[in-house]
Amino acid sequence: MNIALIGAGGAARGIHLPALRLLPEVEIVSVADSNPAAGIEGIPFTTDYREALERRDVDAVINAPPNFLHRPITLEALAAGK
């Protein structure tokens, strides 16, 4: 399963990323964060999460930005078939 990680802050780095890396059947194929310095080495990065949602190779997303952003991103991810 190919995952896009949306939001690359503390929760993503401390919880989601370590857990995803334990799953051999999961590949993180995209990271999106509004902070240009939030890239994660070896994973394609964008500052616009919509680019990650448009990728055909992304099966699902981890929605990990600040809580107030969860709803709109979730709705867009669902509309994109993620």
Side-chain angles (χ1 to χ4, degrees):
M1 177 177 284
N2 292 334
I3 302 290
L5 181 60
I6 299 176
R13 291 173 187 272
I15 300 167
H16 301 295
L17 189 59
L20 292 169
R21 287 186 167 157
L22 292 173
L23 304 170
E25 67 278 6
V26 169
E27 183 176 353
I28 304 163
V29 296
S30 180
V31 173
D33 194 282
S34 60
N35 177 357
I40 297 171
E41 187 176 335
I43 304 173
F45 177 79
T46 180
T47 56
D48 184 350
Y49 70 89
R50 291 172 185 93
E51 289 180 18
L53 296 179
E54 292 172 0
R55 288 182 55 155
R56 298 180 109 202
D57 65 335
V58 171
D59 300 311
V61 299
I62 300 293
N63 188 2
N67 290 340
F68 74 94
L69 294 172
H70 286 180
R71 184 176 192 277
I73 293 171
T74 297
L75 292 174
E76 288 183 59
L78 288 170
K82 310 304 180 198

